[in-house]
C-alpha cells in the first residue's frame, strides 16, 4: 500500500537494494529521491528517517500524486492583494450588503487569477493570496503574476462601475508580487487542507503588498519578478525597500495603476 514510505535523511547509501516487489511499488509512486518502504527495508547500520504519510493514512493515500502536492521547493511568484479601507465600508453597511459586495469582489479577483493561469491559494478576510508558476517555470510564474495584477486592476474598475450605486466611494486595492523559492504542498487538516506555499518569498510578497499603502500605489513588484518576466518597467519609480524580517533590501517598482501593464484581455503579458 506504500503508506509506510519514509525518506532517509542519513544512511540511505548503505541500505540493501530493494526487492523486485518493492521496486514495483516505488515506481508506482514515482521513485521519489531517497524514499523506501519501511516495511520492506532492513537497515544494516544506524539511519535517520522521515515518515512521509501520517499514521492514519489509508491505502488510497498511497497512490502516486504530483510532487508539488506532497511537498516540493520551487521558485514561484506569489501575489497578495488587499482591499483598502474596507473596514470603514463594512461599518456603514448592513451585513447582507457587505457579504454581497465581498462576494462580487472575490469573484472578480478569482476570475483574474484564473485567466492569468495562476492558482488561487486563499481569501484572507478581504485579501487574496495567489501562486503562479507551480505547474511551469519561474519565468511563467513571473509573467502570470504581472498579468493577474493587471487583470485584477481592470476588473476592479469594472466592478466599481457596476456597483456605483452601492458604494460611497470606489473600492481600492493594493497588490504585492515577489518571486523566489517557496515550499509548496497540500497543508491543513481535513476539509481545510489546501494547496499553499510557505517561506521567505511568501512573507516578502505580503510585505510588498502592505507597502502599497505607504506609496499610495496599486502595485509594488520586486525586480526579481520583472527580470524573470523580461519586461521593461524602468519608466516606473524604483525603490530600495527595507522589508521587515529580511537582512537585505528589496529593489522594487512602484506602479500607481496596475491596469496600465501591457496585458491582453486573454491574460497574456505582452513583452
Amino acid at each position: 500500500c506504500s503508506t509506510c514510505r519514509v525518506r532517509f535523511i542519513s544512511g540511505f547509501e548503505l541500505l540493501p537494494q530493494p526487492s523486485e516487489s518493492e521496486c514495483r511499488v516505488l515506481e508506482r509512486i514515482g521513485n521519489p529521491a531517497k524514499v523506501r518502504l519501511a516495511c520492506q527495508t532492513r537497515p544494516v547500520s544506524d539511519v535517520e528517517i522521515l515518515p512521509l504519510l501520517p499514521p492514519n493514512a489509508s491505502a488510497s493515500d498511497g497512490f502516486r500524486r504530483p510532487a508539488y502536492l506532497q511537498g516540493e521547493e520551487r521558485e514561484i511568484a506569489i501575489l497578495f492583494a488587499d482591499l483598502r479601507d474596507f473596514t470603514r465600508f463594512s461599518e456603514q453597511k448592513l451585513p447582507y450588503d457587505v457579504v454581497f459586495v465581498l462576494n462580487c469582489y472575490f469573484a472578480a479577483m478569482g476570475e483574474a487569477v484564473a485567466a492569468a493561469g495562476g492558482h488561487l491559494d486563499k481569501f484572507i478576510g478581504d485579501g487574496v493570496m495567489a501562486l503562479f508558476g507551480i505547474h511551469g517555470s519561474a519565468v511563467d510564474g513571473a509573467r502570470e503574476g504581472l498579468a493577474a495584477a493587471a487583470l485584477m486592476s481592470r476588473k476592479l474598475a469594472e466592478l466599481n462601475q457596476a456597483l456605483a450605486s452601492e458604494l460611497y466611494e470606489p473600492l481600492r486595492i493594493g497588490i504585492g508580487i515577489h518571486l523566489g523559492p517557496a515550499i509548496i504542498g497540500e497543508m491543513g487538516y481535513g476539509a481545510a487542507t489546501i494547496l499553499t506555499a510557505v517561506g521567505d518569498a511568501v512573507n516578502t510578497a505580503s510585505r510588498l503588498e502592505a507597502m502599497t499603502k505607504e506609496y499610495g500605489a496599486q502595485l509594488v513588484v520586486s525586480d526579481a519578478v520583472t527580470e524573470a518576466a523580461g519586461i521593461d518597467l524602468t519608466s516606473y519609480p524604483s525603490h530600495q525597500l527595507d522589508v521587515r524580517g529580511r537582512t537585505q533590501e528589496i529593489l522594487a517598482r512602484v506602479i500607481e495603476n496596475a491596469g496600465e501593464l501591457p496585458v491582453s484581455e486573454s491574460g497574456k503579458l505582452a513583452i
Side-chain angles (χ1 to χ4, degrees), residues 20-271:
E20 182 179 346
S21 59
E22 184 182 0
C23 283
R24 285 199 300 268
V25 176
L26 291 173
E27 183 179 358
R28 173 169 63 79
I29 64 174
N31 283 318
K34 295 188 176 182
V35 169
R36 293 285 298 271
L37 304 183
C39 73
Q40 300 295 312
T41 306
R42 301 293 180 266
V44 295
S45 61
D46 290 345
V47 297
E48 183 181 0
I49 63 171
L50 173 69
L52 297 180
L53 291 178
N56 60 348
S58 64
S60 62
D61 296 320
F63 282 88
R64 182 177 181 180
R65 306 169 72 205
Y68 69 86
L69 293 180
Q70 301 177 55
E72 182 179 61
E73 186 174 61
R74 293 181 65 102
E75 189 172 18
I76 61 173
I78 305 101
L79 178 151
F80 278 90
D82 192 58
L83 279 175
R84 296 288 172 255
D85 299 324
F86 194 76
T87 301
R88 184 173 61 181
F89 168 84
S90 62
E91 290 173 347
Q92 299 169 336
K93 287 286 189 178
L94 294 173
Y96 173 88
D97 297 321
V98 173
V99 171
F100 172 75
V101 171
L102 269 182
N103 281 332
C104 290
Y105 163 73
F106 288 148
M109 299 303 101
E111 290 170 1
V113 170
H119 168 74
L120 184 59
D121 185 308
K122 62 175 72 73
F123 294 117
I124 313 165
D126 55 18
V128 178
M129 176 180 172
L131 311 177
F132 301 88
I134 60 175
H135 300 296
S137 65
V139 171
D140 295 331
R143 291 176 177 175
E144 291 170 358
L146 288 170
L151 294 176
M152 292 169 83
S153 174
R154 295 171 191 176
K155 284 187 174 292
L156 187 67
E158 295 171 1
L159 185 63
N160 279 326
Q161 186 174 5
L163 298 180
S165 61
E166 303 288 332
L167 305 172
Y168 298 117
E169 58 184 20
L171 298 174
R172 295 180 297 112
I173 194 173
I175 305 170
I177 313 176
H178 183 55
L179 178 79
I183 297 172
I184 63 173
E186 284 190 333
M187 305 179 202
Y189 175 75
T193 300
I194 60 171
L195 174 63
T196 189
V198 295
D200 179 67
V202 178
N203 298 332
T204 300
S206 178
R207 300 281 189 259
L208 294 181
E209 179 274 312
M211 288 178 175
T212 60
K213 300 177 185 177
E214 178 182 344
Y215 291 101
Q218 202 170 59
L219 173 64
V220 175
V221 55
S222 70
D223 270 17
V225 175
T226 58
E227 289 173 5
I231 185 173
D232 182 7
L233 296 181
T234 54
S235 60
Y236 294 97
S238 176
H239 295 272
Q240 288 276 7
L241 305 180
D242 184 12
V243 179
R244 186 168 42 116
R246 288 182 59 98
T247 55
Q248 295 182 333
E249 293 183 328
I250 292 287
L251 187 62
R253 298 284 168 179
V254 176
I255 301 171
E256 185 175 346
N257 180 8
E260 296 174 352
L261 292 175
V263 175
S264 67
E265 292 303 321
S266 63
K268 302 299 182 184
L269 185 66
I271 305 296

